[in-house]
């Protein structure tokens, strides 16, 4: 083990400078629930740890233009405590809340869940379905990136050297909109999603779906936004035929692997099942909103 | 012994606080990894990355040259052992194989097989040194599955191994280490007389005991040739004997101190680290600590066998089981020694079947050597027989408990392997489940109910104990049995009940290998029975001494003194008018009446009674995802007599929980190179608390007349029926019969896609 430096920058600029200087040997630390585990397992061996939790705004949730700006290092438990966001984006909050145990919830962040870039990350399909955007800071300034464009493969992101995520913006929720996240794990806790599905949809006064976003987790190298699945719902009242189309579209989008956590056949089939179920929950929430 | 019929106990059957509770919840209890001595070195074991490879050469020179490295050892540093099986067939050991499993010699036989070890002044240096050891491997084809390992063209683990138990002795080498056959009556005739004959093959996967505490020890080898060990195990005397044998030491040159144990379930009945740490210490001249990581525990410590069983049962329309024939093929792991003989002897033991045969095969493959796991071998066999009985009950339209009652074994029923059933208890567990409100409770859609039963021998054997009375009248009980399930409380309770004094006047502890007589493992559900006998025996000697001292004080014969309710009393008014002497009063006068009061006692306990359990499982299966949720689970088990009720119930709940994990999600998953893919608790899916309902218990008490309090042993049989109970519930819920474990969501969903209704 080489010597390890630890820094707590007080501003975004300071963090960017530290990252730039470290030339790829630095790692961001938010909650550390992925990073520390990976360091102990010898999977990563950084020279510098940049703890972003002291940067103003990284751990706060603010209302903005009818939506929310969520600091990248806000912990799961902190988000679940917010009645307003839990009411507006229950799918995002329930997905984030599924991560780990009570102890993990005190540390785990949305930024870490996304940048760890696991295809099975629970909060990511919900964020993608909700249309969340990430604020990325780096040597070249700040850019706004849709969440689905951050991961590029298992453990890989589109962030450039020296870049990190400052916060996420959840848009103002349109009337009649609801979101939901469902995952399948063989156990009830402490497991990794075999399949995860986030659905966000909008119903008009007549109950017809006018907009939808469907995102699948753990069925491809990255979380997938599936436009065909959304198309299956738009224009329908979520009748059986539309749900069957959704099921088929979700299955068609799957490109999973066989591994210790699930088979190709199983993941594909269950992606369709969970898409239907999540759509119905989202619709229920849309109606009561 | 008349006392077994007593019911008027003051302490037996209550729930006092355990003596080890506060240290455990406050973190002061010392487990295997909690010991250190001045100058302790850190050990590290280098393990094979290959499932099967010949070791052409090991070069340790670079590692040995690294500053901070104090010792490097390989298999060649251990004395060679004779290739012979010693001890009774069911538990025979062979030190030639054992030493090769502790550290590879000619070949690495599984991924994770230890090939060398180092001791260094820091964990980092030890780690680095291990990486500097150069091993020239010739990678060989490997075999993982038990049926594949039996195939004629399978890669051979030992090129000269032939099958024992076959006449005439075969010459062709094989992975089948042993064949066993047990018979009663005439199986062929039985099948000819049957109305329905059902033959089916079942498969189970290897599962790990899953104890939370990983293996850990501290070893010190002194310049005078004396060794001392601190380790967490299910029997420090066995650790001593095995370590001494593997290192060529005398038994009195090695002292083993028992640590608290964070779970064992059979997996800590053998040694892995202790001989390695001791040899490193001998070579380095410093104490050495060794501990396994979780991945090492999964890869290199004993799971139980995965198996393949072909079972044929013949039944009459009235429900009489007339014949049973089973072929049991059990994985032994990389060296011989699966629990297949247990499987053979247990498979039909619940039932009085006139014609039965069980053939067992002990099969090596490129997996870690199996170790005992809770009623080793019996649960695998019960999965087969109890599933088949469930099918047959449906085929003849009989209630599954009725079918079992009709065929239940009774006293005098002949058993495979010789001998006759000599205890009751099975019928009572069946009745307990039939009479339980759960048996007739309504079920919802996609829900089903299953029942199953199981048998386990239970163990007796050697135990030592001592009981001392202190000057203030308090009592200390020492035994050689590591306390896993609360046995210190049970020992103190039995001593207190025998002495007629309150529980809180007795303190029970576990003593090292130099201070109490040889005591066999905390395994086989034997401790409360056998070590309990030793404690009661020592206590009775103390009572005899106390009576003698009262007699001396009173100037009467010992026969004239009775021991009643914790006091010496004149046995009749003829003796004279003497005030009763309490234990406290006698203790205070001990110096004047002959010195300290105390006695040791040792037993080789026979006449243990077997355990029976019948269980009920309600389950719901999601028809679209195949995910099963256990809704309700009831365990009825014959305890003989519960000494500490909570710890009996705890055993029953624990066994069922482990069985549910085995049934639903636990399995060793290998990749194409024969490497374990899920060597951690994230992907080796043991149940977590939120996966389970509160397990309901019915403690059945049919006393064992050969124990002063009626104890039978309760630690193991509770896992035996569980896998079948869950499988039977799943069939009831889904109309699909699962004949392979685990019944994980992907497998269940696949089965749900099969056409037609199955029973
Ligand atoms: C016991 C346990 C259970 C778990 N259960 C789940 C579960 O159910 N579902 C699930 O999805 N995950 C689970 N996880 C994984 C983990 O908790 C989550 O991924 C969590 O959200 C990570 O957040 P963190 O703040 O701890 O990330 P960290 O460990 O701090 O960071 C993770 C990675 O992202 C990088 N990073 C962090 N923040 C940023 C940022 N703002 N910008 C750029 N890069 C950044 C880090 O450098 C690191 O590479 C579990 C982990 C454990 C230990």
């Amino acid at each position: 083990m080489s010597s390890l430096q630890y820094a707590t920058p007080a501003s975004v600029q300071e963090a960017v400078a530290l990252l730039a200087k470290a030339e790829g040997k630095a790692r961001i630390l938010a909650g550390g629930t992925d990073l520390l585990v990976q360091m102990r397992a010898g999977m990563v061996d950084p020279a510098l740890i940049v703890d972003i939790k002291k940067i103003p705004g990284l751990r706060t949730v603010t209302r903005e233009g009818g939506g929310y700006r969520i600091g990248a290092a806000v912990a799961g438990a902190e988000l679940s405590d917010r009645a307003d966001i839990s009411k507006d984006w229950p799918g995002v909050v329930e997905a984030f809340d599924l991560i780990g145990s009570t102890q993990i919830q005190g540390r785990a962040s949305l930024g870490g869940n996304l940048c760890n870039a696991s295809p099975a990350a629970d909060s990511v399909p919900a964020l993608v379905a909700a249309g969340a955007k990430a604020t990325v800071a780096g040597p070249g300034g700040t850019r706004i990136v849709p969440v689905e464009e951050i991961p590029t493969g298992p453990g890989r992101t589109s962030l450039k050297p020296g870049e990190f995520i400052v916060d996420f913006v959840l848009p103002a929720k349109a009337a009649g909109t609801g979101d939901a996240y469902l995952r399948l794990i063989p156990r009830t806790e402490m497991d990794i999603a075999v399949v995860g599905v986030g659905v966000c949809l909008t119903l008009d006064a007549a109950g017809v779906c006018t907009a939808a976003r469907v995102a699948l987790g753990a069925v491809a190298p990255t979380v997938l936004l599936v436009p065909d699945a959304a198309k299956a719902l738009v224009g329908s009242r979520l009748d059986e035929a539309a749900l069957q189309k959704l099921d088929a579209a979700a299955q068609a989008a799957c490109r999973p692997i066989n591994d210790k956590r699930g088979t190709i056949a199983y993941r594909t089939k269950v992606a369709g099942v969970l898409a239907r179920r999540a759509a119905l929950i989202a619709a229920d929430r849309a109606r009561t909103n | 012994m008349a006392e077994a019929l007593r019911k008027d106990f003051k302490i037996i059957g209550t729930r006092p606080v355990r003596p080890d509770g506060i240290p455990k919840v406050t973190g002061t209890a010392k487990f295997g990894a909690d010991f250190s001595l001045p100058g302790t070195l850190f050990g590290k074991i280098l393990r094979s990355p290959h499932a099967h490879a010949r070791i052409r050469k090991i070069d340790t020179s670079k590692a040995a040259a690294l500053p901070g490295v104090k010792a490097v050892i390989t298999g060649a540093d251990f004395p060679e052992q004779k290739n012979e099986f010693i001890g009774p067939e069911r538990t025979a050991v062979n030190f030639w194989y054992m030493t090769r499993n502790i550290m590879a010699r000619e070949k690495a036989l599984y991924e994770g097989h230890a090939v060398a070890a180092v001791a260094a002044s820091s964990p980092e240096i030890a780690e680095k040194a291990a990486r500097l050891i150069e091993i020239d491997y010739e990678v060989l084809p490997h075999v993982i599955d038990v049926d594949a390992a039996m195939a004629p063209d399978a890669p051979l683990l030992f090129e000269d191994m032939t099958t024992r138990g076959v006449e005439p002795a075969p010459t062709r080498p094989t992975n089948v280490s042993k064949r066993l056959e047990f018979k009663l009556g005439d199986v062929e005739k039985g099948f000819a007389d049957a109305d329905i004959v059902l033959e089916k093959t079942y498969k189970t996967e290897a599962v790990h005991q899953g104890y939370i505490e990983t293996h850990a020890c501290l070893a010190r080898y002194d310049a005078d040739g004396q060794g001392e060990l601190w380790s967490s195990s299910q029997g420090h005397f066995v650790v001593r004997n095995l370590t001494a044998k593997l290192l060529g030491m005398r038994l009195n040159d090695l002292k083993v101190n028992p640590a608290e144990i964070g779970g064992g379930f059979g997996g800590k009945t053998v040694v892995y680290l202790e001989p390695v740490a001791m040899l490193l210490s001998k070579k380095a001249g410093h104490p050495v600590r060794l501990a396994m990581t979780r991945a090492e525990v999964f890869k290199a410590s004993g799971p139980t066998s995965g198996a393949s069983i072909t079972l044929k049962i013949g039944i009459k329309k009235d429900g009489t089981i007339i014949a049973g024939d089973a072929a049991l093929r059990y994985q032994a792991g990389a060296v011989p020694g699966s629990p297949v003989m247990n499987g053979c002897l247990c498979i039909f033991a619940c039932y009085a079947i006139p014609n039965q045969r069980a053939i067992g095969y002990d099969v090596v493959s490129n997996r870690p050597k199996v170790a005992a796991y809770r009623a080793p071998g019996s649960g695998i066999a019960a999965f087969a027989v109890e599933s088949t009985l469930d099918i047959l009950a449906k085929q003849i339209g009989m209630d599954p408990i009725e079918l079992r009652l009709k065929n239940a074994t009774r006293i005098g029923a002949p058993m495979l392997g010789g001998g006759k059933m000599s205890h009751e208890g099975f019928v009572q567990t069946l009745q307990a489940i039939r009479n339980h409100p759960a048996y007739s409770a309504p079920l919802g859609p996609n829900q089903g109910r299953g029942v199953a039963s199981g048998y386990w021998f239970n163990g007796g054997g050697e135990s030592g104990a001592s009981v001392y009375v202190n000057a203030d009248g308090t009592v200390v009980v020492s035994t050689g049995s590591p306390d896993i399930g609360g046995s210190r409380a049970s020992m103190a309770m039995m001593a207190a009940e025998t002495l007629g004094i309150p529980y809180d006047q007795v303190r029970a502890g576990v003593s090292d290998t130099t201070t109490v007589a040889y005591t066999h493992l905390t395994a086989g559900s034997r401790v409360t029975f056998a070590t309990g006998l030793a404690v009661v025996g020592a206590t009775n000697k103390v009572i005899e001494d106390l009576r003698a001292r009262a007699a001396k004080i009173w100037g009467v014969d010992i026969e004239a003194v009775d021991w009643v309710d914790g006091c010496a009393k004149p046995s009749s008014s003829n003796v004279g008018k003497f005030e009763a002497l309490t234990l406290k009063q006698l203790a205070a006068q001990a110096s004047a009446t002959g010195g300290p009061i105390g006695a040791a006692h040792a037993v080789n306990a026979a006449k243990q009674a077997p355990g029976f359990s019948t269980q009920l499982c309600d389950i719901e299966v999601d028809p679209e995802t195949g995910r099963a949720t256990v809704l309700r689970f009831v365990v009825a088990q014959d305890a003989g007599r519960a000494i500490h009720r909570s710890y009996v119930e705890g055993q029953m709940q624990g066994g069922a929980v482990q069985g549910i994990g085995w049934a639903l999600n636990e399995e060793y998953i290998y990749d194409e190179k024969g490497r374990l893919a899920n060597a951690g608790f994230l992907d080796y899916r043991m149940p977590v608390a939120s996966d389970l309902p509160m397990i309901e218990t019915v403690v059945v008490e049919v006393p064992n007349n050969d124990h002063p309090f009626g104890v039978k042993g309760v630690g193991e049989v509770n896992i035996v029926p569980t896998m079948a109970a869950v499988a039977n519930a799943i069939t009831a819920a889904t109309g699909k019969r699962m004949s392979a474990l685990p019944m994980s969501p992907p497998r269940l969903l696949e089965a749900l896609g099969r056409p037609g209704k199955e029973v």
Side-chain angles (χ1 to χ4, degrees), chain B residues 455-720:
Chain B
Y455 165 89
W456 179 243
F457 312 103
N458 288 337
E462 292 164 296
S463 280
S466 61
V467 174
Y468 294 105
V469 180
N470 297 318
D472 62 357
T474 60
V475 174
V476 177
V477 175
S478 290
T479 77
S481 292
D483 177 356
I484 303 188
S487 59
R488 270 166 292 196
S490 302
M491 296 305 143
M493 290 170 79
M494 286 188 271
E497 185 79 53
T498 307
L499 277 166
I501 60 175
Y503 170 77
D504 65 9
Q505 225 168 301
V506 183
R507 188 86 192 169
V510 186
S511 293
D512 67 60
T513 52
T514 63
T515 47
V516 66
Y518 175 84
T519 302
H520 197 53
L521 298 164
T522 297
S525 302
R526 61 176 295 278
V527 169
T528 313
F529 172 72
T531 307
L533 278 173
V535 168
V536 173
T539 308
N540 281 330
K541 284 182 184 168
V542 165
I543 290 173
E544 167 122 4
D545 188 12
L546 290 165
R547 285 170 56 222
R549 290 176 195 239
K552 192 169 180 183
I553 292 167
W554 292 336
V556 301
D557 278 353
I558 185 169
E559 284 73 31
V561 181
D562 281 351
W563 188 261
V564 187
D565 291 336
C567 299
K569 288 183 180 154
S571 56
S572 74
S573 49
N574 300 338
V575 175
K577 228 178 130 39
F578 299 110
E579 280 290 307
L581 284 165
T582 64
L583 176 66
K584 200 169 174 175
Q585 290 166 329
L586 286 166
Q589 300 180 53
S591 301
T593 57
I597 302 168
H601 193 68
V603 298
N604 186 358
K607 297 194 173 177
Q608 67 271 20
F612 294 102
S613 177
T614 298
Q615 305 184 349
L616 173 148
C617 174
D618 283 353
I619 214 157
E620 180 169 330
V621 178
D622 182 331
E624 291 188 312
T625 66
R627 199 177 168 284
T629 304
V630 177
L631 306 170
R632 187 169 192 180
F633 204 97
V634 188
V635 180
Q637 183 181 329
D638 176 19
R641 177 159 282 127
I643 300 297
H644 192 299
R645 285 198 94 75
S646 300
Y647 304 156
V648 171
E649 291 160 358
Q651 291 296 316
M652 294 162 71
Q653 293 170 320
V657 166
Q658 290 189 305
I660 289 169
W662 193 342
L664 291 180
N665 285 307
E666 291 179 39
E667 62 178 316
Y668 266 48
I669 303 172
Y670 284 90
D671 68 13
E672 70 287 347
K673 291 196 165 142
R675 294 174 307 204
L676 186 62
N678 60 335
F681 281 141
L682 182 56
D683 291 304
Y684 180 84
R685 290 174 168 131
M686 281 170 50
V688 297
S690 54
D691 294 345
L692 301 157
M694 179 51 82
I695 309 290
E696 298 167 58
T697 57
V698 185
V699 182
V700 173
E701 293 185 284
V702 185
N704 172 5
N705 292 325
D706 293 313
H707 187 277
F709 298 118
V711 166
K712 285 186 173 168
V714 297
E716 295 169 285
V717 73
N718 33 58
I719 201 173
V720 176

Side-chain angles (χ1 to χ4, degrees), chain A residues 1 184-192 194 247 259-263 265-266 269-270 273-274 276-277, chain B residues 124 622-628 665 669 677-678 681-688 690-691 745-746 749:
Chain A
M1 225 180 271
L184 188 124
I185 55 173
R187 292 184 287 201
T188 48
E189 292 276 357
M190 307 309 287
D191 219 329
I192 291 187
V194 175
D247 186 323
D259 73 358
K260 58 199 171 191
R261 296 186 184 137
T263 58
Y266 185 73
K269 221 166 170 179
V270 170
V273 173
L274 294 191
R276 277 191 275 117
R277 291 180 181 180
Chain B
E124 291 77 18
D622 182 331
E624 291 188 312
T625 66
R627 199 177 168 284
N665 285 307
I669 303 172
N678 60 335
F681 281 141
L682 182 56
D683 291 304
Y684 180 84
R685 290 174 168 131
M686 281 170 50
V688 297
S690 54
D691 294 345
L749 190 62

Side-chain angles (χ1 to χ4, degrees), chain B residues 23-37:
Chain B
K24 279 179 179 163
V25 299
T26 57
T28 59
K30 285 187 144 190
F31 291 86
D34 292 332
F35 296 88
S36 190
L37 289 166

Side-chain angles (χ1 to χ4, degrees), chain B residues 231-237 239 259-261 268-270 274 482 484:
Chain B
S231 92
S232 149
S233 79
Q234 287 178 248
H236 42 297
F237 281 93
V239 167
E260 291 291 351
I261 174 168
K268 290 179 184 161
T269 56
V270 287
E274 289 86 350
I484 303 188

Side-chain angles (χ1 to χ4, degrees), chain A residues 179-269:
Chain A
D179 74 334
Y181 176 76
L182 286 178
R183 72 170 177 186
L184 188 124
I185 55 173
R187 292 184 287 201
T188 48
E189 292 276 357
M190 307 309 287
D191 219 329
I192 291 187
V194 175
V195 178
V197 179
V199 174
C200 179
L201 52 77
T202 305
L203 302 180
D204 68 13
V208 174
C209 178
T210 56
R213 284 169 71 89
V214 178
L216 306 180
V219 293
T222 63
V223 168
L224 297 177
L225 178 66
V226 188
D228 283 349
K231 267 190 223 147
L233 295 176
V234 174
S236 83
R237 286 170 201 274
L238 273 66
D239 48 278
E240 195 47 41
L243 291 172
Q244 285 308 328
K245 268 207 260 170
L246 166 68
D247 186 323
Q251 292 200 44
C254 292
R255 288 178 278 125
I257 53 167
N258 274 325
D259 73 358
K260 58 199 171 191
R261 296 186 184 137
T263 58
I264 292 172
Y266 185 73
R267 287 190 149 119
T268 307
K269 221 166 170 179

Side-chain angles (χ1 to χ4, degrees), chain A residues 26-38 44 52-53 58 72-74 95-96 98-101 104 107-118 120-124 157 159 163-168 183 185 190-193, chain B residues 682:
Chain A
R27 281 282 179 151
I28 301 270
L29 174 85
T33 60
D34 280 316
L35 183 65
L36 297 186
V37 175
Q38 289 162 7
V44 294
I52 54 174
K53 290 195 290 296
L58 266 281
V74 168
F96 197 8
L98 280 175
I99 294 175
S101 56
I104 298 294
R107 307 289 296 181
S109 68
L110 289 177
N113 199 221
L114 179 62
C115 295
N116 185 55
S118 158
D122 278 308
S123 71
V124 179
T157 68
L159 297 179
E163 282 190 334
F164 73 102
I165 296 178
V166 176
D167 56 37
F168 296 92
R183 72 170 177 186
I185 55 173
M190 307 309 287
D191 219 329
I192 291 187
Chain B
L682 182 56

